[in-house]
Amino acid sequence: MAYCREEGKDKVIFATKEDLEQPSTALITIEDPDAEPGLILENGDINWNCPCLGGMASGPCGVQFREAFSCFHYSEADPKGSECYESFKTMQDCMIGYPELYPSKEDAETAAEKLEKQDEFFNTNNSETQEIAEQSEAKS
């Protein structure tokens, strides 16, 4: 005869040999209580709090972003979102007014190139410094 006992957060189940010979009727569901919903909720709505949006929905152009994104998400046109041109244009016009928050593609590429050059500079200087230190140690 099987029985069950709870010890703190654990549940201990004692089963007899006869209990184990029968196929299990237990239904195991795994739910992650810490799992956050993604961009699209189960009901099809947009999750504006999704970290994947990177704060776009709440920034200075958040209203325009939400309108454009909603238009595209709920679009039934063919091709999808083809009726959303004005919404995206309005969002883009807003973003141009905040270049420090929404850099243009060219600005972003320039910033990436500067970072690459800095990395090259520091990596080159770092290896030269290491060579000098090794030569000094060899002389000692």
Side-chain angles (χ1 to χ4, degrees), residues 54-139:
M56 292 286 293
S58 60
C61 298
V63 171
Q64 294 84 350
F65 174 79
R66 289 190 303 272
E67 286 176 7
F69 195 86
S70 293
C71 179
F72 181 82
H73 175 67
Y74 296 111
S75 173
E76 294 181 5
D78 187 30
K80 185 174 179 82
S82 59
E83 77 278 16
C84 303
Y85 175 80
E86 286 301 319
S87 297
F88 278 96
K89 178 72 174 122
T90 303
M91 178 184 77
Q92 183 179 23
D93 291 343
C94 179
M95 290 176 164
I96 289 171
Y98 298 93
E100 66 283 353
L101 294 175
Y102 309 107
S104 67
K105 184 177 179 181
E106 293 81 23
D107 292 342
E109 288 172 355
T110 303
E113 289 171 6
K114 286 180 182 177
L115 286 174
E116 285 178 23
K117 287 179 182 178
Q118 287 176 351
D119 286 345
E120 287 176 20
F121 175 79
F122 287 116
N123 288 337
T124 302
N125 286 343
N126 200 12
S127 58
E128 288 174 2
T129 304
Q130 190 174 7
E131 286 176 23
I132 294 169
E134 288 172 359
Q135 289 173 358
S136 296
E137 287 177 11
K139 290 180 182 179

Side-chain angles (χ1 to χ4, degrees), residues 1-16:
M1 179 172 155
Y3 71 95
C4 198
R5 178 176 78 206
E6 290 194 29
E7 294 180 4
K9 65 176 182 63
D10 300 318
K11 184 183 263 189
V12 180
I13 301 172
F14 294 93
T16 64

